[in-house]
Amino acid sequence: MSDSTASSGSPAAGGSGTGSQSPTPDQASRAKSKQTAKITIGALAVMNIVAVVSLRGLPSEAEYGLSSIFYYVFAAIVFLVPVSLVAAELATGWPETGGVFRWVGEAFGPRWAFLAMFMLFIEVTIWFPTVLTFGAVSLAYTGDNQNLDAQLAGNKFFVLAVVLVVYWLATFIAFRGAAAFSRVSQWGGIIGTIIPAIILIILGFSYYFAGNTPQIQMGWGELIPDFSNFSNVVLAASIFLFYAGMEMNAIHVKEVKNPTRDYPIAVLIAAAGTVIIFVLGTLAIAFVVPQADINLTQSLLTSYNDMFDWAGIGWAGPVVAAMLLIGVLAGVVTWVAGPSTGLLTVARAGYLPRFWQHTNKNGMGTHILFFQAFAVTGLGITYVVLPSVQAAYQILSQLTVILYLIMYMLMFAGAIYLRFSQPNRPRPYRVPGGDIGMWLIGGLGFLGSLVAFVFSFIPPDQISVGSPAVYVGILVGGAAIFVILPLVIYALRKPHWRDPESRFEPFTWQIEHTHPGTVSKSSVPTPVLVEEALADTSAGSGSDATTGAAAGHAATQPGTADNGNRPTLRPRSGPNTGGSAAL
């Protein structure tokens, strides 16, 4: 959404369009302003809202009635705002490739960084069947007979077929590269999320203000949850994942005119907008659908149908269902390529075997995408094995929350620790309040994530999930497997896994030949450190008898800088630059 910069051949860019005549100071000022165009506060706020808001989870919170407001606001304070502010500092302080892998690796080393990236990749993989279930239900409700639509939406074989067909189609689209689906993603978010949300809120509140009896208890006292019933907070733990994704746009902080002032304002606007959409959308459903009739996979569509029937525009039900399906498809196609591309970058840096680094002519990691597709296929079959589609939906959704929260806890802990280990690192944006502010905001986010993580293992009373023991066993077993697997892969990594063409910059502690977490006095960004180290290496290469051997060794170490055209950083004696000894 940022304005494009001037082309190199234009007069504003100092190209040949002006001939030999020098620009005036005023022209130069305007040209510089155009070349450094910034994202406005409003644009960044909208970007964050679109990245976070999804309507499919609203029925799960509608069960809480007015008390859902408490959960939404609480989760925003202890999770949404901390994620946004902390990610902004990390993204501007360490903008090199790698994302969360870079951030966690700077603090705790590549072992835990690989775990964080793997959690993100697996979490998204598990998320696909749940979001596509919502898409399958939307597809079912595009018919004219609501009774038949409801039966079709509850048919687990229909749901499974839609999940597999749509996901594999999205995978093959991803093989063609970002250009193949960028427009679908952009317009799908507007058509399939923003517009349906506005319709839902307007109709739901019109239904209430028209004098119809709401299906929930009204009154100020209903705003406070019944904390005496501990199970009431279990299902609400999933609300944290509603707010996940705000960190994606943190990389745009440097494009904001005044990051220190404007970015927090944009975040607060986005947070408020997101909370408003979630709260009003949830209440709109709660007004119309009785709590006993709420179904996590169908209630959103039945709410629309009930509202349209009340408004005398029943024909609009299939139209909105189709719009929601477009939103789901756009989101899935976008996310198929996102985390898999991040994992490919990490793989080429030396943390996955060469098999997983295979790319096609469009630069897409085909083997990683195929693995993800087969994993989604296996998870989709869960819908046939478990007692009901709703039970499978809930279990997979909770496992998604658990894995994502592990990544967030690592991110928050890393941000706090980096204030100690790299205190002088240039940070164009800093969490307000200095070190105390980081401890308060980052610590609040970590504790909020930890609490939600614990609650996610407790079976909810509101939903039939079969045997509670099986429910907990699947979550514990699934989480354990997905945490152990990346640690095993990391322990078995080999030097030759690293792609010589990888442009992955080394971590700060690697450049300085120290350990992760060692206090660094450096006050320059990573690229400057790399250039200084390369200059030192070049200057001393003539007198160092071990240059050739050491350089060859460094070139094979995961995370070591090597672009094929520059001298290679040479590790000093001590821990290997990418090895477990460094940890």
Side-chain angles (χ1 to χ4, degrees):
M1 290 188 180
S2 58
D3 297 328
S4 59
T5 58
S7 62
S8 58
S10 67
S16 59
T18 58
S20 59
Q21 187 177 13
S22 301
T24 66
D26 184 59
Q27 290 174 327
S29 177
R30 287 197 301 268
K32 182 177 181 180
S33 176
K34 186 175 181 180
Q35 289 177 314
T36 58
K38 302 295 182 178
I39 295 178
T40 64
I41 294 176
L44 185 59
V46 171
M47 290 169 63
N48 285 329
I49 291 174
V50 172
V52 173
V53 172
S54 173
L55 304 181
R56 69 184 181 89
L58 299 187
S60 64
E61 300 304 321
E63 297 196 31
Y64 296 98
L66 289 180
S67 64
S68 64
I69 298 176
F70 171 87
Y71 292 117
Y72 279 121
V73 174
F74 175 77
I77 293 174
V78 304
F79 184 74
L80 176 60
V81 173
V83 164
S84 304
L85 299 182
V86 168
E89 175 168 321
L90 293 173
T92 56
W94 295 267
E96 296 79 27
T97 58
V100 69
F101 180 85
R102 168 75 55 184
W103 306 338
V104 175
E106 286 283 355
F108 305 125
R111 175 187 284 117
W112 303 111
F114 186 64
L115 173 62
M117 176 57 74
F118 197 83
M119 289 297 96
L120 177 60
F121 174 76
I122 293 297
E123 174 272 327
V124 171
T125 302
I126 297 174
W127 171 79
F128 285 127
T130 64
V131 71
L132 283 172
T133 298
F134 177 69
V137 173
S138 299
L139 179 62
Y141 274 88
T142 56
D144 296 328
N145 190 315
Q146 291 190 24
N147 292 329
L148 292 178
D149 292 346
Q151 293 178 14
L152 185 61
N155 187 306
K156 50 193 169 185
F157 294 102
F158 169 79
V159 171
L160 176 62
V162 173
V163 167
L164 298 185
V165 170
V166 173
Y167 186 82
W168 278 94
L169 176 62
T171 298
F172 286 115
I173 293 175
F175 284 153
R176 300 178 62 85
F181 52 79
S182 59
R183 290 186 179 178
V184 175
S185 173
Q186 178 182 359
W187 288 103
I190 297 174
I191 296 173
T193 299
I194 301 299
I195 295 178
I198 295 173
I199 294 173
L200 178 68
I201 293 170
I202 291 176
L203 288 178
F205 278 82
S206 296
Y207 175 90
Y208 173 69
F209 288 120
N212 294 283
T213 303
Q215 300 297 327
I216 58 174
Q217 295 293 325
M218 303 297 290
W220 292 107
E222 299 297 326
L223 291 171
I224 306 301
D226 179 13
F227 292 110
S228 63
N229 185 357
F230 181 73
S231 63
N232 277 345
V233 302
V234 175
L235 190 60
S238 63
I239 200 173
F240 279 73
L241 196 62
F242 285 20
Y243 291 133
M246 190 72 79
E247 75 279 0
M248 289 193 303
N249 286 320
I251 192 63
H252 296 298
V253 169
K254 294 197 295 183
E255 299 177 52
V256 178
K257 183 177 181 180
N258 185 348
T260 303
R261 180 183 67 88
D262 292 354
Y263 184 82
I265 294 175
V267 166
L268 291 176
I269 293 174
T274 300
V275 172
I276 289 172
I277 291 175
F278 281 148
V279 168
L280 298 185
T282 298
L283 292 181
I285 295 175
F287 289 155
V288 179
V289 182
Q291 183 178 13
D293 296 339
I294 287 180
N295 180 294
L296 298 188
T297 57
Q298 299 178 18
S299 289
L300 182 61
L301 280 302
T302 56
S303 298
Y304 275 111
N305 287 334
D306 290 345
M307 293 176 189
F308 289 141
D309 288 341
W310 167 77
I313 52 173
W315 55 266
V319 175
V320 170
M323 293 173 66
L324 291 171
L325 179 60
I326 291 174
V328 169
L329 295 179
V332 169
V333 170
T334 301
W335 278 96
V336 163
S340 61
T341 301
L343 188 63
L344 175 64
T345 300
V346 173
R348 298 184 67 188
Y351 297 96
L352 282 178
R354 288 295 185 92
F355 174 83
W356 300 105
Q357 302 174 28
H358 182 270
T359 59
N360 61 13
K361 63 181 181 180
N362 299 313
M364 303 302 296
T366 51
H367 290 177
I368 291 178
L369 286 171
F370 271 125
F371 167 79
Q372 192 174 46
F374 284 120
V376 170
T377 300
L379 289 170
I381 297 175
T382 305
Y383 289 107
V384 177
V385 176
L386 292 179
S388 70
V389 171
Q390 182 160 290
Y393 181 95
Q394 179 61 24
I395 290 176
L396 290 180
S397 294
Q398 289 303 99
L399 185 56
T400 299
V401 173
I402 290 168
L403 299 181
Y404 213 162
L405 289 173
I406 292 175
M407 186 215 75
Y408 275 120
M409 286 189 285
L410 288 170
M411 186 188 80
F412 283 123
I416 294 172
Y417 195 66
L418 283 171
R419 280 291 187 96
F420 165 75
S421 62
Q422 298 188 32
N424 301 322
R425 177 80 178 204
R427 294 167 169 87
Y429 173 81
R430 283 178 172 265
V431 170
D435 292 345
I436 295 178
M438 172 58 81
W439 273 102
L440 291 176
I441 296 176
L444 186 63
F446 181 88
L447 291 177
S449 300
L450 179 61
V451 170
F453 175 82
V454 173
F455 285 164
S456 296
F457 288 97
I458 304 175
D461 290 343
Q462 297 92 336
I463 302 171
S464 175
V465 292
S467 168
V470 173
Y471 175 86
V472 175
I474 291 175
L475 293 181
V476 172
I481 290 173
F482 290 129
V483 167
I484 293 174
L485 182 59
L487 298 179
V488 172
I489 294 174
Y490 179 84
L492 297 177
R493 74 197 185 288
K494 304 298 181 183
H496 66 268
W497 287 3
R498 186 178 187 279
D499 184 352
E501 299 300 320
S502 174
R503 300 299 190 270
F504 190 86
E505 297 284 0
F507 296 111
T508 300
W509 52 268
Q510 287 178 319
I511 302 172
E512 297 179 341
H513 308 290
T514 59
H515 296 270
T518 302
V519 177
S520 171
K521 300 300 183 182
S522 174
S523 60
V524 297
T526 298
V528 177
L529 284 176
V530 171
E531 294 300 329
E532 291 177 351
L534 290 172
D536 292 342
T537 299
S538 299
S541 59
S543 58
D544 192 338
T546 65
T547 296
H553 176 70
T556 63
Q557 293 301 316
T560 304
D562 177 19
N563 62 6
N565 299 316
R566 301 185 304 179
T568 305
L569 291 177
R570 292 181 291 109
R572 297 174 183 172
S573 58
N576 292 334
T577 56
S580 58
L583 304 181

